[in-house]
Amino acid sequence: MTMEILAPEVTAAGMTDEICDIVLTRRLRWWLPCFVVALGGLGLLGAAVGWLFYAGIGIWGIDWPVVWGLAIINYVWWIGIASGGTFISAFFFLMRVEWRTALNRIAESMTLFAAACAGIFPILHLGRPWFFYWLFPYPNSMGLWPQFRSPLLWDFFAILAYVVSSVLFWYLGLLPDLASLRDRAAGRTGQIVYGSLALGFRGTARQWKHHRAAYGVMAAIMAPLVVSVHSIVGLDFAGAQTPGWHSTQFPPFFVFGAVLSGFASVLFLAIPLRRLLRLEAYITERHLDVLGKLLLTSSLCVAYAYAMDAFSVFYGAEPAEVTMFMERAFGLYAPVYWTTILFNILAPQLLWSRRARLSQPLVMAISLAVIVGMWLERYEIVVTSLHRTNLPSAWGVYHATFWDWATLAGTVALFFAGFLLFVRLLPVLSMFEMRELIAKRRGRP
Amino acid sequence: MIGLIAEFASEAALVRAVDHLQVEGFATLDAVTPHAIPELDGKLSGPPSAIPLVILIAALVGVIGGFGMEVYASTVSYPIDIGGRPLNSWPAFVPIAFEIGVLLAIAAGFFGFLIANRLPALHVPGTAAPIFRNGSRDGYLVTIRTDDAARLRPVLATLDVVRITEWQA
Amino acid sequence: MSARTPTWRSLAEHEGDPAFIARVAAEFPGLARVLAEGPDRRQVLKLMGASLALGLGGCDPGDPKGRIIPGIKAPPGIVPGIENEYATASVLDGYATGIRVRHQAGRPMQVVGNPAHPASLGAVDPIAQARILSLYDPDRSHGVSHGNQQAGWASFREAFERRRTAIDQRKGDGLRILTGTVTSPTLVAQLAALQGRYPLMRWHQCQAVSRDAVRLGARLAYGRPVEAVYRLDRADVILAIDSDLLSTAPGHLRHARDVAGRRNPVAGPMSRVYAVESTPDLIGVMADHRFVAGPREIHQALTALAAAILRQGSPQPGAPAWLAAVAQDLAAHPGRALIHIGPQQPAEYHALVHALNEALGGRGRTFDLIEPVEAAPIDQATSLGDLIADMADGRIQDLLILGENPVFTAPPAFAEALKQVPFSVSLGVELDETAQATTWHLPEAHPLEAWSDARAYDGTVTILQPQVQPLFGAHSAHEVLALLAGDRAPDGYAIVRATWAKLSDDAWHGALSSGVVSGTAGRPVDPPLRSGATVLPAPPDRQITLLLRPDPYLWDGRFANSAWLQELPRPLTKLVWDNPLLVASALARRLGVGNGDLVKLSAGGATLTVPVWIQPGQAEDCVTAHRGWGRRQVGAVGKNAGFDFLALGDGPLSVEKAGGTYALATTEHHNPLDAAPDGVVRHGTLAGFTADRQFLQTPDPQASLYPPQPAGTMAWGMSIDLNACIGCNACVIACQAENNVPVVGKDEVLREREMHWLRIDRYFEGSVEAPRVLLQPMLCMHCEEAPCEVVCPVGATVHDAEGLNVMVYNRCVGTRFCSNNCPYKVRRFNYFAFARDEVRSIQARNQEVSVRARGVMEKCSFCIQRIAAARIDADKEDRAIRDGEVVTACQAACPTQAISFGNIRDQASAVARRKASPLAYALLGELNTKPRVTYEGRVRNANPAIVEPSA
């Protein structure tokens, strides 16, 4: 069969009505149970964070040699997942790829909530979280400034810029669709709420002109922004001379990793969503096919990074680096390393086959494997590097505690709670772009 | 003075109608469309958007200002020996300067858009007509303000209008 | 509670003072309750701190006679901010080591060394330093008790007066006094006086850590008690057989200094040290050759030595291979060779060693013989045996136990027999097992609270002067003995002063200020060596033997309630808070156990299940257990810490795997032998050094892109001589005391969160059976291009103008990136509010050093507070800081002067000269961190005639 980006029967009116109905009228039986579960998870997060603030980060498993643990791992993991949305909505917008249109709203929303989850960890992980704002260069009576050479400070600014920009970019794209909701809303509340959210966007010629201009340029900025964010996250490690971190390839390495987990997460969300919301007409198998290829490509990039990571260790032949790497590959944490290889490199190779790419359960499984694998990769980078540093006298081990895991689970719940609310309250497709696409195709011979 | 809203079925029809009406000398036109229509640029919506320029300026302000702040802080305001590095370790100042630039640029783009369109404008007089709701669905609307509807109607008749609504402006 | 009770210095004033008793009873409001509730140690400790403050608040405004320093209110002459130091001594098992106590705002705050004292020359050992903690220990006994009920001194006096008539009639028969080893002239005089009044009274001595073999050995060799004093600085060749020369022997600080003075080839000709050990000790770490020998091999070695040296014969068959070479080396250095054997070895061995030393011509050169330091050198085992027998037979009506804890340290028979004694009195600083078992318990004044005197290893007398009024209404042994003698108002000062009546007031004051009574060093005696003193008993059978050794820090258990000593890593195992059975790896393999696995020990009917710890370099046929652990009646800190092996006795036992494991906390968190220390602890042989003095140097790392930072005339730096370090941990405790470093407890150590700013890294090299041990004190290197600083986002760790890497606690938000980026991992993080929750009372904290909050990083500051103090003095006199004016706490405590510190820009400074040594190297210099701390590589003066299996 030839895979279309749009089912032929799709019309602008039908599409608009259907997507709006999901929000305005349709009953989703599965939604409430899912949301309740997510809320339960949020409760756990609240408990974990409350106890953390009360007792101190000693409740985590971090220790003297391994002073960074799950908090940093989770942070890097979440921020990597967040990248997927920005890549799809910004990069492929610039490339004018048509299949992006049906996915970018889902992807961008995923970005928002993943970035939110990522954003809380740098604060939680501080010894004195109530002083996190000291990283910000604000005027103070002491005449103090933050220390601008520190990659952590770069990171602080990068995350700030990334979260704010993602929200604004997402909202700008949402305006026309909020207008559609306002105009479709039957009830007064809906009209008021969506009317206010739409800020009075009506789709006049000049509004569209500015919208196109702003949206295009912002997309052109979001693309390098997301790259810079993950490069800086990489520099959080490469900026230190710790064995296993001190590598010039880390910035691209981290970008690759982020993209991989990002695409995997988009797939992992899009496939069930497509079923549950009956979006098959808009998110066609063609989309899954494309995403599958992207997953494979980014997996190959990551494979290259892993190879270089190993190669540079032995090429440089620093004894400490070699010791650390041998420990990573064959020591206490070896299972983590090899699982990482299996999940991030080997599993996606199945996607060479078209049949595999079209088998949704398999793609789901592979995506999940990659998501988990990328978490393990960060575990390997953070923990195995720190537990074998230059001085043998400072070698130790790390074991996460219950509270470490509770915090991770809690942020997963936070993500899904946010995403479920999005599905329930906002259009899951970028309707105005879809209409553009439909019009364009209809215009074609 | 009355206003007419003509709905068209397609982008092409709308563009054709706008051209024709302008030839006919109906100047006070505007369009309400379900998506952006590049062909209308320069016809209805005036000069090209200035937002890209605004964004550029904001970005430059952010980058230069941010970099300046870092240099000032590290060399003048708070000169402290950090790891034996030079006070002005400018390469280390680049990332933050870039991020500040990006932040300002995106903010400028978003708020520039609102300002350029005088948004938020939650109530616009005379937009209550139900027909406007098609504008965010699949209706391509043209609003015409004129004094002699008599002359307008025949003109519209020559165009494949889906339907026409009248409202007192 | 801050209400003042009137000044009192004698019992008489206190007779029937219910207010006092009430106050003592209420000394710890709430503590009892919390203790009853149990485990939350942190909370208990917090309460202790609080109640302790009250305790101090309750004590006296000062000594009207101005002889001593009060605890709380500053008398004239005490200027806040101006510190004072007062000399006294730290007495352990009778032997005194001179110390000074540092006072802040008139309050004793830290124990430092006394350079004027021959036994220390300014060094100070961990036990002495920890006494400041025990002084303020809220668990101390704080009141007279009768049958474990609160009582008062008055009621005790009445009770004793009632007995006195009977005692008088019996002429003291049935009255016994039990003390430890006594060197105090005052105490001896008092006992003699008492003996005079009660002719049939008997005085028993027993010390848990027995030196009977040393005494008897000397008797066997010379026919009379003598004390051997070693002059190790004059010894070119030293053979240490299971020796405690550097660790626990009287004068060990002096020994360490003397040996270390001969261990750096740059400074002068190196001595050569051989160690023959069943279980590793500090001398074995320093030794050029260490031979692992079980009891049986030691016997063989001695036999062979006797043959080789006394009878110039060739060593017999069966003698260890290396022995011939060692004997030859010893014989080749007449008058400059010395053999030392540890107190745990039989008396006959000691006698033989005396004979060998005589044969080697050491008398007057490498050792002197002086009159015994202790007052009555008797065989304490016999003395204790008699006491137990008499008690069991009901022949004892009145027993007075002075300052010892025999119920815990003596065989169980003692506790049993004690029940037969109708009137038993124990005088002790803490409420220990003996205090519970005796009918009366009297609180003893802490050594830092009382007047006394004691002799050092060479006989030198130190007057102990109290540093503070007794905190808990306690009294010294002198005062209690005086009470027995009928003195109604005993006054410790008067008693001690009377002993030294011959001293003029000036001489007295001189003795007090210097800490030494001049001219009291033991006179050399010249007894002839008895012939036939060299007969050895039959060799022990080859079977697994238990070596019961004193814990290096808890000693016989008397310091079990000291959190510092509990958490001080044992020099070779790095274990804290526990005393597993130390076994050889071969034995562990045979038993199929590893570190922490439980084994069942049985000997003489007693059985005990304990965890094992594999001790590299342990002899296969013996296992080592440290005493002093497993206290049954002890304060909150020492509770449930370790195991009491005493019941098993010192001798053969059977070991079998028990199954199950036990969590053992150690500060070396990695498998000791998987690390190659070559680049880290640079070391080589003397031969290599003489061939090329630069042989430990590596090519410099490439030049840095950055200008040398910071410029300026002052640049603080440190050099550490790895040849001198013996791993005694004195520096670690000194740092802990000086810098308010918190104790974290066993659980947190298990989580790898110990806080010591200064740690001593230990590496093994060679086989597990007979490894070489390499030690390396590790503290902040104060890198000129510090990686930690660059990564701190808030600039909480920065450089100052004199090159210190300073930590700004108030600015730290706790990202911990600095620790990640520190290649030396010398930064410590407050995962919890350790300082708030630790046992240490506020009084024992250094006011000059801020206490770190939760969530803050901390590390060695080069004792910046001392630098600041010196700078203030220098500025007042408008001059530069002199070399040696700033002495870091670790440097001051170090017995071997391994650490030198100062301005490296001043080429004349000691540290600059040490850094110029061809052995000096920067650790991980290839990382271009430019550390301000450098090390002098370790050089082994190996005997070419000996090929080591491990090498």
Side-chain angles (χ1 to χ4, degrees):
Chain A
M1 72 175 227
T2 67
M3 289 188 297
E4 273 303 322
I5 279 188
L6 276 176
E9 70 278 8
V10 171
T11 68
M15 183 278 302
T16 309
D17 295 343
E18 188 175 357
I19 300 303
C20 292
D21 289 350
I22 296 177
V23 176
L24 297 171
T25 61
R26 197 185 293 178
R27 287 199 62 236
L28 302 174
R29 277 188 190 68
W30 52 268
W31 190 88
L32 194 59
C34 296
F35 190 65
V36 169
V37 173
L39 284 184
L42 273 183
L44 182 62
L45 180 63
V49 172
W51 177 232
L52 175 76
F53 285 172
Y54 175 76
I57 58 174
I59 66 169
W60 289 346
I62 37 182
D63 52 45
W64 161 53
V66 185
V67 295
W68 282 0
L70 245 56
I72 297 293
I73 296 162
N74 300 340
Y75 159 70
V76 180
W77 183 61
W78 276 120
I79 202 67
I81 287 174
S83 74
T86 320
F87 264 92
I88 288 176
S89 62
F91 265 97
F92 296 116
F93 174 87
L94 297 175
M95 300 175 188
R96 300 272 181 272
V97 277
E98 297 183 326
W99 59 260
R100 156 203 182 270
T101 311
L103 289 173
N104 70 332
R105 175 65 42 77
I106 294 174
E108 277 185 65
S109 311
M110 176 195 81
T111 294
L112 285 192
F113 302 116
C117 294
I120 64 175
F121 277 108
I123 294 176
L124 292 188
H125 107 114
L126 293 179
R128 305 202 287 175
W130 50 92
F131 289 138
F132 76 94
Y133 62 90
W134 284 2
L135 272 74
F136 197 80
Y138 65 98
N140 59 80
S141 55
M142 307 261 189
L144 295 175
W145 286 88
Q147 207 277 98
F148 294 103
R149 296 171 190 80
S150 167
L152 277 189
L153 196 68
W154 307 348
D155 199 315
F156 177 73
F157 277 87
I159 296 306
L160 191 69
Y162 187 52
V163 171
V164 174
S165 307
S166 301
V167 172
L168 295 181
F169 186 58
W170 175 78
Y171 192 53
L172 186 69
L174 205 51
L175 276 179
D177 292 356
L178 290 166
S180 301
L181 277 173
R182 171 197 63 204
D183 296 343
R184 304 273 96 52
R188 191 93 184 100
T189 2
Q191 287 170 345
I192 290 175
V193 170
Y194 291 112
S196 345
L197 288 177
L199 303 176
F201 183 91
R202 318 185 31 71
T204 64
R206 78 177 278 148
Q207 282 179 338
W208 278 123
K209 176 186 69 179
H210 291 308
H211 191 270
R212 259 177 52 239
Y215 197 73
V217 181
M218 280 162 80
I221 297 173
M222 291 300 289
L225 172 60
V226 67
V227 173
S228 79
V229 166
H230 295 284
S231 306
I232 288 176
V233 172
L235 287 169
D236 283 344
F237 300 92
Q241 40 76 316
T242 311
W245 290 2
H246 193 48
S247 153
T248 46
Q249 77 143 355
F250 260 41
F253 177 8
F254 272 58
V255 176
F256 295 156
V259 178
L260 177 59
S261 57
F263 288 152
S265 314
V266 173
L267 265 170
F268 190 72
L269 291 171
I271 292 177
L273 215 53
R274 167 172 186 269
R275 284 278 177 79
L276 293 166
L277 301 176
R278 300 201 290 279
L279 302 174
E280 289 88 347
Y282 317 108
I283 305 177
T284 65
E285 298 198 310
R286 171 76 193 285
H287 291 91
L288 307 185
D289 186 50
V290 174
L291 282 176
K293 288 176 182 161
L294 281 170
L295 194 62
L296 176 58
T297 318
S298 42
S299 161
L300 292 173
C301 297
V302 170
Y304 169 79
Y306 286 1
M308 290 313 295
D309 200 34
F311 169 77
S312 55
V313 163
F314 294 99
Y315 188 71
E318 278 275 334
E321 290 276 355
V322 175
T323 314
M324 192 286 305
F325 187 85
M326 297 311 281
E327 187 66 24
R328 169 178 291 174
F330 306 108
L332 176 62
Y333 295 105
V336 179
Y337 183 69
W338 296 111
T339 318
T340 306
I341 304 270
L342 174 66
F343 281 6
N344 298 343
I345 309 302
L346 300 182
Q349 300 311 313
L350 295 169
L351 297 171
W352 284 103
S353 128
R354 188 156 173 284
R355 280 190 43 256
R357 289 201 300 275
L358 295 184
S359 149
Q360 297 180 21
L362 181 62
V363 176
M364 284 282 284
I366 293 175
S367 311
L368 186 58
V370 167
I371 293 171
V372 174
M374 288 311 296
W375 189 89
L376 291 172
E377 178 204 297
R378 276 59 176 258
Y379 189 96
E380 161 217 318
I381 290 174
V382 171
V383 174
T384 55
S385 304
L386 287 178
H387 97 298
R388 284 286 182 274
T389 45
N390 307 71
L391 277 193
S393 64
W395 290 355
V397 294
Y398 167 82
H399 301 297
T401 64
F402 166 80
W403 293 111
D404 282 299
W405 295 114
T407 320
L408 173 57
T411 49
V412 173
L414 175 63
F415 173 85
F416 278 107
F419 196 79
L420 286 166
L421 281 176
F422 151 74
V423 168
R424 179 75 283 192
L425 300 176
L426 293 172
V428 290
L429 259 60
S430 173
M431 291 185 284
F432 79 95
E433 287 173 294
M434 286 297 285
R435 290 191 292 256
E436 216 168 297
L437 181 64
I438 294 164
K440 189 131 132 263
R441 317 203 115 228
R442 208 173 47 185
R444 282 188 194 155
Chain B
M1 179 112 172
I2 64 158
L4 281 178
I5 312 163
E7 175 174 346
F8 298 85
S10 76
E11 188 175 342
L14 174 110
V15 175
R16 230 180 296 112
V18 168
D19 294 341
H20 192 78
L21 287 165
Q22 283 178 328
V23 172
E24 292 292 330
F26 296 97
T28 55
L29 300 176
D30 194 1
V32 174
T33 53
H35 56 79
I37 298 175
E39 289 87 337
L40 293 181
D41 290 2
K43 291 175 182 159
L44 294 181
S45 54
S49 170
I51 288 179
L53 183 63
V54 175
I55 290 181
L56 173 66
I57 294 168
L60 291 176
V61 169
V63 171
I64 296 167
F67 194 86
M69 170 191 72
E70 298 182 74
V71 174
Y72 167 77
S74 315
T75 59
V76 181
S77 170
Y78 199 51
I80 286 195
D81 179 354
I82 300 291
R85 308 297 197 268
L87 289 179
N88 180 14
S89 330
W90 63 266
F93 299 159
V94 170
I96 289 178
F98 173 82
E99 299 299 337
I100 295 177
V102 167
L103 186 56
L104 291 199
I106 297 281
F110 182 80
F111 294 104
F113 166 80
L114 294 188
I115 292 162
N117 295 314
R118 300 188 179 70
L119 296 179
L122 297 189
H123 175 67
V124 180
T127 57
I131 188 172
F132 276 112
R133 299 193 174 180
N134 297 353
S136 64
R137 183 162 178 265
D138 65 345
Y140 295 83
L141 311 181
V142 180
T143 62
I144 315 123
R145 291 149 166 264
T146 175
D147 294 330
D148 53 354
R151 199 173 131 258
L152 176 59
R153 288 188 180 284
V155 175
L156 286 176
T158 65
L159 306 159
D160 44 12
V161 183
V162 177
R163 90 182 86 112
I164 298 180
T165 311
E166 185 175 318
W167 100 100
Q168 295 302 325
Chain C
M1 201 51 209
S2 61
R4 298 263 180 283
T5 51
T7 310
W8 64 277
R9 299 208 49 251
S10 72
L11 287 168
E13 296 174 49
H14 248 303
E15 287 183 3
D17 174 355
F20 171 73
I21 298 167
R23 198 197 68 188
V24 173
E27 196 70 53
F28 302 114
L31 179 58
R33 177 174 44 76
V34 179
L35 280 175
E37 284 166 5
D40 186 358
R41 185 164 140 276
R42 294 170 164 236
Q43 194 194 350
V44 177
L45 301 184
K46 235 182 303 176
L47 256 161
M48 287 181 176
S51 49
L52 187 66
L54 300 178
L56 272 188
C59 78
D60 317 294
D63 166 23
K65 305 199 187 71
R67 283 191 299 252
I68 62 170
I69 303 306
I72 176 67
K73 190 190 261 181
I78 296 298
V79 185
I82 305 289
E83 301 186 351
N84 293 324
E85 285 186 6
Y86 297 87
T88 179
S90 159
V91 182
L92 185 62
D93 290 5
Y95 287 87
T97 307
I99 57 171
R100 286 185 186 161
V101 178
R102 196 174 149 203
H103 291 244
Q104 277 176 347
R107 192 183 285 146
M109 163 254 153
Q110 187 180 21
V111 172
V112 297
N114 179 0
H117 194 274
S120 73
L121 299 180
V124 57
D125 60 23
I127 285 179
Q129 296 185 64
R131 286 187 189 271
I132 199 74
L133 217 54
S134 60
L135 167 67
Y136 293 113
D137 184 353
D139 288 349
R140 272 179 59 183
S141 160
H142 46 272
V144 177
S145 61
H146 177 39
N148 297 328
Q149 299 299 314
Q150 285 284 347
W153 283 100
S155 45
F156 170 71
R157 258 194 83 264
E158 286 154 17
F160 185 75
E161 288 308 326
R162 278 197 297 281
R163 317 243 351 144
R164 186 188 295 280
T165 44
I167 298 175
D168 285 332
Q169 288 161 0
R170 297 198 308 269
K171 295 197 164 42
D173 183 24
L175 169 61
R176 303 296 177 89
I177 293 180
L178 174 61
T179 69
T181 304
V182 173
T183 67
S184 161
T186 302
L187 199 67
V188 176
Q190 288 183 288
L191 286 166
L194 212 57
Q195 192 81 62
R197 172 164 177 180
Y198 301 120
L200 299 182
M201 176 196 93
R202 264 194 73 189
W203 165 31
H204 299 271
Q205 293 180 66
C206 95
Q207 203 71 68
V209 180
S210 167
R211 295 184 61 79
D212 283 342
V214 181
R215 294 188 193 87
L216 191 54
R219 270 186 196 279
L220 287 173
Y222 296 106
R224 55 162 295 189
V226 290
E227 188 100 18
V229 176
Y230 302 104
R231 311 277 183 220
L232 298 174
D233 51 341
R234 304 183 196 157
D236 293 351
V237 181
I238 299 170
L239 171 60
I241 302 168
D242 193 31
S243 155
D244 62 347
L245 257 185
L246 303 187
S247 51
T248 55
H252 63 273
L253 292 174
R254 176 61 178 271
H255 297 156
R257 167 76 69 92
D258 291 346
V259 180
R262 300 287 310 276
R263 299 299 299 166
N264 188 322
V266 181
M270 265 181 99
S271 66
R272 178 174 289 147
V273 177
Y274 301 96
V276 180
E277 293 181 325
S278 313
T279 188
D281 200 344
L282 300 187
I283 187 80
V285 174
M286 172 171 273
D288 301 294
H289 292 281
R290 178 177 180 275
F291 307 106
V292 182
R296 200 179 164 82
E297 288 83 356
I298 289 181
H299 185 278
Q300 289 172 345
L302 281 168
T303 326
L305 269 176
I309 294 175
L310 297 181
R311 296 185 277 287
Q312 278 75 28
S314 61
Q316 301 103 323
W322 43 266
L323 194 114
V326 175
Q328 204 170 24
D329 202 2
L330 287 165
H333 294 80
R336 288 176 288 121
L338 177 71
I339 306 177
H340 179 268
I341 187 163
Q344 283 84 9
Q345 297 297 330
E348 295 81 359
Y349 292 17
H350 283 264
L352 172 60
V353 167
H354 282 298
L356 291 169
N357 279 329
E358 295 287 353
L360 292 168
R363 171 104 68 109
R365 299 189 184 80
T366 57
F367 71 96
D368 289 323
L369 295 178
I370 63 170
E371 289 293 347
V373 167
E374 51 183 312
I378 57 170
D379 184 60
Q380 298 186 346
T382 322
S383 175
L384 180 67
D386 298 352
L387 177 62
I388 294 176
D390 292 354
M391 288 197 297
D393 301 355
R395 262 186 258 116
I396 300 182
Q397 281 72 39
D398 309 277
L399 173 65
L400 174 59
I401 304 172
L402 292 181
E404 290 301 311
N405 183 13
V407 172
F408 175 73
T409 60
F414 182 93
E416 270 312 303
L418 184 59
K419 298 201 180 87
Q420 311 298 323
V421 179
F423 188 80
S424 57
V425 183
S426 65
L427 177 71
V429 173
E430 59 173 336
L431 279 164
D432 54 20
E433 292 79 353
T434 305
Q436 300 293 316
T438 49
T439 57
W440 284 87
H441 165 74
L442 312 178
E444 182 183 19
H446 188 277
L448 298 181
E449 288 173 338
W451 288 100
S452 183
D453 49 10
R455 290 184 181 276
Y457 79 116
D458 69 344
T460 308
V461 173
T462 297
I463 308 287
L464 279 70
Q465 57 177 336
Q467 307 292 319
V468 60
Q469 284 278 31
L471 298 180
F472 303 119
H475 286 280
S476 70
H478 302 302
E479 290 164 343
V480 171
L481 277 185
L483 181 71
L484 264 59
D487 180 347
R488 308 192 94 265
D491 173 353
Y493 171 76
I495 298 166
V496 176
R497 187 68 179 93
T499 316
W500 298 96
K502 65 176 187 298
L503 288 183
S504 74
D505 277 357
D506 291 352
W508 170 257
H509 288 304
L512 288 187
S513 60
S514 68
V516 176
V517 184
S518 51
T520 49
R523 290 174 289 100
V525 291
D526 196 9
L529 183 72
R530 281 169 70 224
S531 56
T534 65
V535 191
L536 290 190
D541 316 337
R542 182 168 296 289
Q543 57 187 331
I544 296 181
T545 318
L546 175 66
L547 308 178
L548 269 180
R549 299 293 163 92
D551 183 88
Y553 305 131
L554 303 193
W555 199 239
D556 59 1
R558 70 185 62 201
F559 304 115
N561 207 46
S562 168
W564 285 356
L565 296 178
Q566 285 273 6
E567 196 161 298
L568 189 57
R570 270 48 190 173
L572 287 135
T573 60
K574 296 292 168 190
L575 285 161
V576 296
W577 294 101
D578 259 310
N579 64 329
L581 185 74
L582 304 181
V583 302
S585 60
L587 178 57
R589 234 178 290 115
R590 274 220 309 283
L591 296 167
V593 293
N595 286 345
D597 291 347
L598 291 170
V599 295
K600 185 153 164 292
L601 307 178
S602 33
T607 68
L608 184 63
T609 303
V610 295
V612 298
W613 188 264
I614 296 173
Q615 171 66 282
Q618 172 86 7
E620 187 178 343
D621 59 352
C622 58
V623 294
T624 305
H626 283 145
R627 297 184 58 179
W629 297 83
R631 288 280 306 273
R632 300 181 289 278
Q633 187 63 45
V634 66
V637 175
K639 272 200 169 52
N640 313 322
F643 305 86
D644 178 12
F645 290 81
L646 189 61
L648 295 170
D650 201 339
L653 84 171
S654 74
V655 190
E656 62 198 74
K657 182 173 184 175
T661 61
Y662 177 93
L664 290 168
T666 163
T667 60
E668 286 278 10
H669 304 292
H670 63 89
N671 176 357
L673 284 144
D674 68 0
D678 304 354
V680 176
V681 185
R682 296 191 191 169
H683 59 288
T685 60
L686 186 58
F689 176 77
T690 39
D692 168 16
R693 293 172 63 86
Q694 309 286 334
F695 77 131
L696 290 183
Q697 299 298 331
T698 54
D700 289 348
Q702 314 96 330
S704 162
L705 289 171
Y706 305 116
Q709 291 278 2
T713 58
M714 294 299 288
W716 299 108
M718 180 179 279
S719 173
I720 300 177
D721 183 358
L722 298 178
N723 296 298
C725 178
I726 56 173
C728 66
N729 277 327
C731 50
V732 178
I733 284 276
C735 176
Q736 187 153 30
E738 170 74 16
N739 295 300
N740 298 334
V741 173
V743 164
V744 298
K746 180 180 176 183
D747 293 350
E748 288 301 305
V749 175
L750 281 170
R751 295 193 189 103
E752 305 172 25
R753 291 170 180 175
E754 64 274 10
M755 294 298 286
H756 292 136
W757 285 5
L758 167 58
R759 65 179 197 264
I760 298 183
D761 288 347
R762 170 224 55 194
Y763 300 99
F764 292 111
E765 185 187 53
S767 69
V768 192
E769 288 68 28
R772 226 172 272 127
V773 178
L774 297 166
L775 298 173
Q776 185 172 43
M778 186 58 57
L779 66 166
C780 176
M781 298 278 132
H782 292 268
C783 311
E784 289 177 4
E785 287 170 19
C788 51
E789 296 176 5
V790 184
V791 295
C792 177
V794 290
T797 181
V798 298
H799 245 62
D800 81 354
E802 297 179 341
L804 296 182
N805 167 248
V806 293
M807 185 70 213
V808 190
Y809 305 124
N810 288 351
R811 178 67 169 168
C812 179
V813 296
T815 69
R816 311 186 296 291
F817 201 173
C818 51
S819 176
N820 284 344
N821 211 20
C822 173
Y824 311 97
K825 288 286 176 286
V826 292
R827 292 176 156 266
R828 303 293 195 178
F829 188 72
N830 290 276
Y831 282 101
F832 289 116
F834 292 132
R836 183 193 67 199
D837 301 340
E838 73 166 333
V839 63
R840 187 177 189 168
S841 69
I842 48 173
Q843 290 79 10
R845 287 210 168 119
N846 184 350
Q847 304 172 356
E848 301 300 320
V849 177
S850 54
V851 175
R852 281 77 60 185
R854 156 190 150 193
V856 167
M857 190 63 72
E858 61 183 70
K859 65 162 192 70
C860 161
S861 68
F862 269 174
C863 288
I864 191 169
Q865 63 280 4
R866 296 189 175 201
I867 296 176
R871 189 185 294 117
I872 290 168
D873 294 345
D875 289 353
K876 278 189 294 193
E877 298 162 28
D878 188 21
R879 59 170 174 81
I881 300 176
R882 297 192 196 92
D883 185 35
E885 200 170 352
V886 181
V887 179
T888 64
C890 51
Q891 176 188 11
C894 179
T896 61
Q897 298 187 311
I899 303 174
S900 45
F901 176 80
N903 178 6
I904 59 177
R905 296 267 157 83
D906 165 11
Q907 290 313 314
S909 69
V911 64
R913 274 182 271 118
R914 297 293 284 275
K915 281 174 178 286
S917 154
L919 296 174
Y921 72 95
L923 180 58
L924 300 177
E926 66 272 17
L927 297 177
N928 241 333
T929 51
K930 305 209 178 119
R932 282 280 176 90
V933 176
T934 54
Y935 295 91
E936 282 184 84
R938 172 98 182 261
V939 174
R940 267 180 67 240
N941 182 7
N943 181 344
I946 296 176
V947 186
E948 289 198 359
S950 65

